[in-house]
Amino acid sequence: MKKIIIFILLLIFIPFFIVLFYGRNYKEIELNYINTRYIRVKRNSTNEIETLPLEEYVVGVLAGEMPINFDIEALKAQAVASRSYALKRMEYNKDKEYDVVDSIMNQVYLDNDYLKEAWGINYVKNINKLRSAVNSTIDEYLEYDDTIVDAMFFSTSNGYTEDSNNVFDFNCAYLKSVESPWDKDVSSAYITTKIMNLTEFYKALNIPYNKNLNIEIEKRSSTNRILLLKINNNEFKGTDIYNKLSLRSTDFTIDLQGQTVSITTKGYGHGVGMSQ
């Protein structure tokens, strides 16, 4: 009987001591504001607009845009890029109702309430890591010719980043293609394959069903991403296929296997700017 009581007491008190241990060893650090700028964030879930300090927003974007297990130096680079991106949107949208939305339309922003629930007992440790990255880069942003840059970023390259004019139809001196050879060795998203039913494939592209599938690549960029192609004599931009089929990259191959379409992509994201 005593053994049973001791066992029950251990079950009750072990979690208590774990929480106590974490509480003693992790205290939330504060953000070291230099300039208190505010950003207006439209929350997709409520359609409400929240006004919050820019640096607090950057912390929430780090949580949404980069895995918490990434190295602190990667988080610092992301903080500078995300802050630059936010400042540029504040500049663009100063006469509008809000500056950014909290989704992939701009940058994914996760608030503290969400993070506390998602991270549980690891919340303080994780939030401190992000705040340290933000504090280490506080108020830092990127400029080109004395103007805040449009700081683009994406997950994984196909070995090269892409020129902005091949994706967003604007030419930008600092968003030019460069080599990014290490992605192949460090990213699990470097090569992925998506499988679709042939009927679903045609429906997504809004073209008539045909049991035969003819793919003609008309133009590629210097980075091997597809710019123009024909599918059964219907012309598309590579970015059209990327968006309509929710692909990971415009560097893709399409193969028909019976009634199944296999699409293999190399890289993950639009390819412009910083490869995470």
Side-chain angles (χ1 to χ4, degrees), residues 208-226:
Y209 176 87
N210 189 325
K211 66 179 181 179
N212 299 313
L213 180 59
N214 184 39
I215 308 292
E216 300 175 63
I217 307 301
E218 296 188 307
K219 187 177 181 181
R220 290 183 183 269
S221 72
S222 61
T223 70
N224 206 48
R225 292 176 175 89
I226 294 174

Side-chain angles (χ1 to χ4, degrees), residues 121-141:
I121 62 173
N122 291 316
Y123 168 76
V124 176
K125 179 179 69 172
N126 290 348
I127 204 70
N128 280 353
K129 184 176 181 180
L130 300 186
R131 288 177 182 169
S132 293
V134 172
N135 279 340
S136 295
T137 64
I138 205 82
D139 213 35
E140 292 180 9
Y141 54 89

Side-chain angles (χ1 to χ4, degrees), residues 103-206:
S103 71
I104 58 172
M105 292 296 293
N106 290 135
Q107 302 184 108
V108 177
Y109 165 77
L110 303 176
D111 61 35
N112 278 334
D113 290 339
Y114 175 91
L115 294 175
K116 285 177 181 178
E117 184 175 347
W119 285 337
I121 62 173
N122 291 316
Y123 168 76
V124 176
K125 179 179 69 172
N126 290 348
I127 204 70
N128 280 353
K129 184 176 181 180
L130 300 186
R131 288 177 182 169
S132 293
V134 172
N135 279 340
S136 295
T137 64
I138 205 82
D139 213 35
E140 292 180 9
Y141 54 89
L142 301 169
E143 285 189 345
Y144 181 83
D145 280 350
D146 297 322
T147 302
I148 298 171
V149 306
D150 219 335
M152 303 290 184
F153 57 89
F154 61 99
S155 169
T156 303
S157 85
N158 68 343
Y160 297 86
T161 67
E162 186 59 279
D163 287 351
S164 61
N165 60 298
N166 286 332
V167 180
F168 299 114
D169 293 326
F170 71 89
N171 199 19
C172 187
Y174 53 82
L175 292 175
K176 295 296 185 182
S177 176
V178 297
E179 287 190 62
S180 186
W182 43 79
D183 300 60
K184 181 179 179 180
D185 298 321
V186 300
S187 176
S188 60
Y190 181 71
I191 291 182
T192 53
T193 299
K194 180 172 186 172
I195 304 297
M196 297 183 70
N197 178 277
L198 184 58
T199 302
E200 294 172 342
F201 176 82
Y202 285 131
K203 184 177 180 180
L205 298 181
N206 195 29

